[in-house]
Amino acid sequence: MSIAKNFLLWIVCLSFVCAPRARAQDTELHFVTWKPEASQVWDQAVRDFERQNVGVKIVREIAPQSSTQIHDLLAQKLKNRDARLDVFFMDTIWPAEFASAGWALPLDRYFHAAERNEFLKAPILANQYRGQIYGVPLFIDAGLLYYRKDLLKKHALTPPRTWRELVEQAKTIRVRERDPHLVGFSGQFKQYEGLICNMMEYILSNGGALWDDKRLASLLDQPAALEAVRFVRDQIIGEISHRGVLAYEEPESLALFTQGRAIFHRNWPYAWKIANDPEQSRVAGNIGMMLLPGFTGSGVAALGGWQLGVSRFSRKPDLAWRFVAFMTSIENQKRIALATGRAPTRVALYDDREITDRIPHLNSLLETFKRAAPRPMTPVYVPLSNIMQRYFSSVLAVPNTDIQKRAALTARDMNRVLDLVREKNIP
Ligand code: GLC
């Protein structure tokens, strides 16, 4: 055997002997996330963290992007006190539940008040429960209206200020364009959390609410909410959209818009970059973005966003925190923002030169984030959301359902859950 061959054999043997030992020495940190846009940025961040923390391996589990589905997956793992879950993505509506169930680790000893001040207020508030903090905001969301600038211009229309005006404009454009594939509006009306965000925006901008936080009573059976739901069913879905939207989450509804098949589109800020990317969108350069319309007054945007939380059952909380701090750092939020257009939660980035140059609209969104309406904060948010999702979904899907009757039954079911909160004195 030649020397070279011998050497090769020796290397191969050595790698067999050494590799398992090296792997066993690795400290694994398990991270449940959903697959974000521009995944190369996330891969890079993970690699950088691993490089800075020699011997640490981030094991990522990619969960479905739907808030409802990732919630159920995490809840299952946390109920089982699964030690192979250290850090997780957390929707803005879960901290109260995860805290009260004892699933999320309070982060106060790591995440000090001075540092919290560097973040936007709304997501910090959303992460607090009974005086402790359970997550670090990674990016913030608020509902926005996207529209086809070219089509509005062509038909001498200015962006709509009310939902009724939007419906009229959509009808006008469709009649004049005579394109059977062009719909007036695409939003998220599937039975999942996104449906609550969409419907809450209509209900709140019509002067209603999902429930009364003080009296702990559902308000879905009240006139303002009933009217808003009827409007969506009869004017949006029944008139200018198509029934396909009843199965749409964010990606499907955005796809309709980027294919040039929707005049108006409701989505979060991340949609801007995708819709303007000629590789991914047929309408790149032809879109506008604005505040959501209202009914009589101004529109209301739902507040959304994602945080990183640490499992209370993690055996490596200090390391988990280091990873959370790294991922939510100014440098990492900046690279996520530049690559995806996701809105950062760190205030300083709104004055960052590179960000303002490359994402000029971001600064103007600050006010929208400040005014956006949070979904009510309670440990029983998810059961209430499930009840509401079933209601909205069933009344939107069938044109002649008795909305008032369904709403009354829904309010009764919601009140039962809210009664439990009252009886147990859960804030
Ligand atoms: C976005 C929001 C999140 C919301 C979800 C609904 O991801 O950030 O808060 O619950 O959409 O689909």
Side-chain angles (χ1 to χ4, degrees):
M1 207 183 278
S2 70
I3 294 186
K5 266 197 188 150
N6 249 337
F7 182 66
L8 205 67
L9 198 66
W10 186 78
I11 295 280
V12 172
C13 292
L14 196 70
S15 63
F16 269 114
V17 177
C18 296
R21 216 182 291 155
R23 248 174 264 136
Q25 278 169 3
D26 272 354
T27 302
E28 289 186 345
L29 203 63
H30 289 258
F31 175 35
V32 173
T33 153
W34 37 258
K35 187 168 184 289
E37 313 79 49
S39 47
Q40 72 283 1
V41 182
W42 295 77
D43 298 345
Q44 186 61 48
V46 164
R47 274 199 301 274
D48 288 353
F49 181 78
E50 288 174 342
R51 204 171 303 128
Q52 287 175 20
N53 294 270
V54 178
V56 174
K57 170 123 194 57
I58 304 294
V59 182
R60 273 178 292 174
E61 183 175 339
I62 308 291
Q65 189 162 7
S66 151
S67 168
T68 303
Q69 287 181 30
I70 183 171
H71 172 272
D72 294 349
L73 179 105
L74 285 170
Q76 196 57 44
K77 286 181 184 292
L78 290 160
K79 266 183 213 155
N80 292 341
R81 302 175 164 233
D82 190 339
R84 278 164 315 151
L85 169 63
D86 299 291
V87 176
F88 46 81
F89 258 36
M90 187 161 51
D91 196 345
T92 184
I93 45 190
W94 308 336
E97 175 195 2
F98 283 27
S100 118
W103 292 343
L105 187 74
L107 300 175
D108 300 72
R109 71 185 139 124
Y110 304 109
F111 191 20
H112 301 131
E115 203 186 347
R116 288 182 215 172
N117 284 339
E118 292 173 13
F119 287 77
L120 294 170
K121 272 213 182 65
I124 289 292
L125 283 178
N127 278 291
Q128 287 173 348
Y129 179 69
R130 291 190 160 187
Q132 288 186 295
I133 191 149
Y134 292 88
V136 183
L138 184 57
F139 48 79
I140 183 168
D141 272 334
L144 295 167
L145 183 72
Y146 294 85
Y147 59 93
R148 287 284 300 280
K149 213 165 55 182
D150 54 338
L151 285 179
L152 261 64
K153 189 159 175 232
K154 180 172 166 195
H155 298 286
L157 298 166
T158 50
R161 275 155 311 154
T162 67
W163 287 111
R164 289 198 171 81
E165 210 182 323
L166 178 147
V167 169
E168 287 317 310
Q169 293 190 354
K171 285 188 195 165
T172 307
I173 296 175
R174 282 176 84 197
V175 168
R176 294 193 193 152
E177 288 290 314
R178 293 205 196 125
D179 174 356
H181 300 299
L182 185 67
V183 304
F185 184 82
S186 85
Q188 300 85 43
F189 296 103
K190 183 179 166 174
Q191 186 177 323
Y192 80 118
E193 184 57 32
L195 178 60
I196 303 295
C197 300
N198 281 246
M199 294 309 294
M200 186 179 96
E201 288 166 347
Y202 292 98
I203 292 174
L204 262 59
S205 64
N206 199 37
L210 302 178
W211 71 83
D212 181 330
D213 238 357
K214 304 250 161 3
R215 285 196 307 117
L216 294 174
S218 170
L219 294 174
L220 287 189
D221 55 352
Q222 298 304 301
L226 294 172
E227 200 179 88
V229 172
R230 191 165 296 117
F231 177 85
V232 175
R233 183 187 72 183
D234 299 343
Q235 298 300 314
I236 301 278
I237 296 177
E239 197 65 46
I240 59 165
S241 232
H242 61 50
R243 299 181 57 76
V245 293
L246 293 166
Y248 285 178
E249 294 186 11
E250 286 82 357
E252 298 83 13
S253 61
L254 176 58
L256 198 75
F257 188 62
T258 55
Q259 285 158 10
R261 292 173 53 210
I263 304 165
F264 295 106
H265 172 51
R266 182 260 176 224
N267 211 324
W268 309 102
Y270 82 98
W272 177 258
K273 191 158 166 74
I274 298 176
N276 271 311
D277 174 1
E279 306 244 306
Q280 304 184 64
S281 165
R282 290 201 193 135
V283 293
N286 283 328
I287 60 170
M289 182 177 70
M290 60 181 282
L291 299 179
L292 287 168
F295 280 96
T296 45
S298 47
V300 179
L303 175 74
W306 291 80
Q307 357 290 315
L308 291 184
V310 175
S311 163
R312 197 186 274 255
F313 313 109
S314 167
R315 300 206 181 108
K316 302 145 204 157
D318 291 345
L319 179 61
W321 167 256
R322 280 220 300 281
F323 182 60
V324 169
F326 179 87
M327 294 303 274
T328 54
S329 66
I330 203 151
E331 295 74 21
N332 200 46
Q333 287 207 18
K334 181 169 170 177
R335 71 174 152 189
I336 293 174
L338 291 175
T340 65
R342 291 252 175 213
T345 53
R346 285 186 174 268
V347 182
L349 287 175
Y350 288 81
D351 287 326
D352 180 280
R353 195 56 200 277
E354 213 177 333
I355 296 218
T356 47
D357 280 355
R358 286 179 47 197
I359 326 176
H361 66 267
L362 205 58
N363 216 297
S364 61
L365 290 183
L366 253 188
E367 205 43 44
T368 314
F369 295 141
K370 284 187 189 151
R371 290 189 189 181
R375 281 154 279 172
M377 236 164 61
T378 162
V380 291
Y381 178 83
V382 168
L384 288 167
S385 168
N386 287 338
I387 296 171
M388 294 188 292
Q389 286 174 33
R390 282 198 292 276
Y391 159 64
F392 290 135
S393 177
S394 68
V395 294
L396 295 180
V398 188
N400 49 13
T401 11
D402 185 338
I403 294 185
Q404 196 155 359
K405 196 162 144 203
R406 287 289 175 108
L409 293 172
T410 304
R412 188 201 59 193
D413 290 349
M414 288 174 73
N415 289 342
R416 284 188 184 143
V417 176
L418 290 164
D419 283 347
L420 289 178
V421 175
R422 188 179 301 112
E423 282 157 22
K424 297 206 167 143
N425 200 15
I426 305 172

